[in-house]
Amino acid sequence: MLESVLYTAGAIANGGRDGRVISDDGNLNLRVATPVELGGAGGATNPEQLFAAGFAACFHNALLLVARQARQDVTGSSVTARVGIGKLTGSVGYSLRVDLAVELPGVALEAAHELIAKADTICPYSNATRGNIVVTHQVG
């Protein structure tokens, strides 16, 4: 449960997976298309790419925060999110999975795992997906 809402983003979609998404402030205005792998034409971004971008940016920000608190230098770090979509077992529905690859050059493996675990507890995307979809973390 949220204690309070600090910011609300809004976007409108027209045309589903083969249409357009526009944020309420106009900063995001993209054509979307079903990927070729899902039987579409491709050639434009898709909801999974947008989710991957948001998750990667949010998790990296959480990682930067916990690294700063731990006085760890994470210069050159990055987070790559790969979002997969597939059918739910025994269902007609679909779901997602997220694999996060975290690059932490110069950080010892044990310290990297600790930072990732702490980032996972504060990242809003991690908190929203926990228990709902598979999310993995890998140190690159």
Side-chain angles (χ1 to χ4, degrees), residues 11 14-15 20 32 48 54 88-89 93 97 100 113 115 127:
N14 291 297
R20 182 162 287 284
V32 292
E48 291 73 35
L88 285 168
T89 305
R97 73 168 285 137
L100 298 175
H113 284 293
L115 292 174
N127 289 328

Side-chain angles (χ1 to χ4, degrees), residues 36-117:
V36 172
E37 296 84 351
L38 296 179
T45 193
N46 59 65
E48 291 73 35
Q49 289 174 333
L50 295 170
F51 191 74
F55 208 140
C58 191
F59 196 87
H60 192 239
N61 197 69
L63 187 66
L64 294 172
L65 175 66
V66 298
R68 188 169 46 250
Q69 291 171 342
R71 290 181 166 58
Q72 283 278 348
D73 181 6
V74 292
T75 302
S77 64
S78 66
V79 174
T80 300
R82 298 186 49 79
V83 174
I85 184 171
K87 287 191 172 198
L88 285 168
T89 305
S91 172
V92 296
Y94 293 82
S95 190
L96 304 173
R97 73 168 285 137
V98 178
D99 297 299
L100 298 175
V102 181
E103 294 289 332
L104 289 164
V107 176
L109 188 58
E110 185 177 324
H113 284 293
E114 288 175 18
L115 292 174
I116 290 168

